[in-house]
Amino acid sequence: MSRVAYVNGQYLPHCSGAVHIEDRGYQFADGVYEVMAVVGGFLLDEGPHLMRLARSLAELQISAPMSNAALRIVMREVIRRNGVHNGIVYVQITRGVAARDHGFPKAAGPVLVVTSRWKRPADPRAVNDGVAVITIPDIRWQRCDIKSVALLPNVLGKQRAKEAGAFEAWQVDREGKVSEGTSTNAWIVTLDDTVVTRQADSAILNGVTRLAVLDIIRREGYGFVERPFSVAEAKSAREAFLTSTVVDLLPVLRIDGTAVGNGEPGPLSRKLRECYLAHAASAK
Ligand code: PDD
């Protein structure tokens, strides 16, 4: 089955889907995006993703290209045309096409692109053996709560992780506290079994997976606190893990080469992963 993309009103072969050379997303990274999981043909946590998308658009004063009801239809059609059962949907909205000038254009309308692809099942080694992270300075802007397509620091950070043989890079703010990964949220479990993740302020993206895992933690009655934690605290934590739509929940076993806990996926990370997968399986 050949891939199909939705590009501003048209369903096109993926290979010929294109936007204008003066699209502001291309020239200024003036746009936002969402990545949603497709589980068993259904979109997981579609409501929270659409809410976050609306928030990102509003923060940047980009108008929505269509209603949520229409966007839901387009996403389903893209999933259907691509025959995706388990995978992701990518939604990108830019401010539109206009002659290059930094200020907002008067006469440009938002440009919407929707794609979907199959996702390989999580590497069982990553799940069973956990992953390694490195730490790097957080060099991003001060509105990381907006899911902007301006991802250059994230790209550079992920590349550094890759070159260091790690899965992810945890970004560290000027106070020495971990903000988040380059495309994942960061978590630790303290020695007294309290789950800690940074509060959702403008230093992090408030992950939809993060919110779902927090709900699970509340429901299961585990202790948790939303606050910043330092690299030293993370290295001496009992457990650590990371979350995102794409990777679900993965145990972190090494931080800058230092083993976390006993160097194996901890019981709480395993339990929370199990509960999250059950939540994902109930997507309808
Ligand atoms: N990234 N933090 C950052 C910086 C992210 O880019 C993401 C998601 C997350 C986790 O958010 P969520 O749980 O809603 O996926 C946290 C997506 C998956 C991406 O850029 O591909």
Side-chain angles (χ1 to χ4, degrees):
M1 185 181 265
S2 53
R3 291 185 68 194
V4 173
Y6 176 90
V7 185
N8 232 20
Q10 285 181 296
Y11 294 94
L12 300 171
H14 190 272
C15 56
S16 52
V19 292
H20 194 274
I21 51 169
E22 287 200 303
D23 187 284
R24 290 179 62 94
Y26 179 55
Q27 289 189 326
F28 294 117
D30 189 0
V32 301
Y33 75 106
E34 277 296 324
V35 179
M36 300 180 211
V38 182
V39 183
F42 291 96
L43 280 160
L44 175 62
D45 292 334
E46 186 181 16
H49 279 287
L50 290 178
M51 269 172 61
R52 188 172 65 186
L53 180 63
R55 181 179 182 277
S56 296
L57 288 170
E59 290 296 321
L60 299 183
Q61 298 171 56
I62 297 175
S63 52
M66 57 177 60
S67 66
N68 274 353
L71 182 55
R72 284 172 192 265
I73 291 170
V74 170
M75 290 192 296
R76 279 162 182 72
E77 186 60 16
V78 172
I79 292 168
R80 191 188 69 75
R81 290 190 188 219
N82 287 282
V84 172
H85 196 64
N86 290 303
I88 58 152
V89 169
Y90 178 79
V91 176
Q92 177 176 310
I93 300 167
T94 66
R95 198 181 303 277
V97 177
R100 187 176 182 278
D101 183 28
H102 289 64
F104 296 172
K106 282 206 178 74
V111 169
L112 169 66
V113 170
V114 182
T115 59
S116 182
R117 66 168 168 79
W118 282 79
K119 184 174 95 167
R120 274 171 285 137
D123 181 349
R125 274 175 315 172
V127 176
N128 294 322
D129 304 345
V131 296
V133 304
I134 57 167
T135 59
I136 58 170
D138 194 338
I139 57 169
R140 299 175 301 163
W141 72 331
Q142 289 169 27
R143 291 303 309 274
C144 298
D145 54 311
I146 300 171
K147 201 159 173 57
S148 144
V149 293
L151 290 173
L152 197 46
N154 310 57
V155 166
L156 296 175
K158 189 75 98 188
Q159 182 60 24
R160 275 183 67 176
K162 228 170 156 180
E163 286 168 10
F167 181 81
E168 177 62 298
W170 278 5
Q171 301 167 106
V172 180
D173 68 17
R174 288 185 185 170
E175 279 74 53
K177 310 286 191 195
V178 173
S179 51
E180 61 181 334
T182 64
S183 62
T184 55
N185 288 116
W187 306 69
I188 58 170
V189 180
T190 63
L191 298 182
D192 68 355
D193 276 336
T194 303
V195 183
V196 182
T197 195
R198 191 169 181 130
Q199 70 278 10
D201 54 22
S202 58
I204 68 162
L205 183 78
N206 192 3
V208 170
T209 320
R210 173 187 182 279
L211 291 171
V213 170
L214 282 175
D215 274 350
I216 291 165
I217 289 169
R218 276 186 208 104
R219 190 191 70 207
E220 297 291 318
Y222 296 117
F224 77 95
V225 52
E226 292 175 82
R227 63 159 171 84
F229 57 84
S230 69
V231 175
E233 189 181 6
K235 286 181 179 171
S236 57
R238 177 164 285 167
E239 299 180 32
F241 59 94
L242 49 80
T243 56
S244 86
T245 298
V246 176
V247 301
D248 307 323
L249 185 159
L250 290 179
V252 170
L253 298 193
R254 301 188 86 76
I255 302 172
D256 293 331
T258 302
V260 179
N262 64 4
E264 286 175 17
L268 208 43
S269 310
R270 283 183 189 279
K271 172 75 182 160
L272 292 174
R273 179 177 165 79
E274 230 171 74
C275 292
Y276 180 75
L277 293 183
H279 162 72
S282 68
K284 276 196 183 79

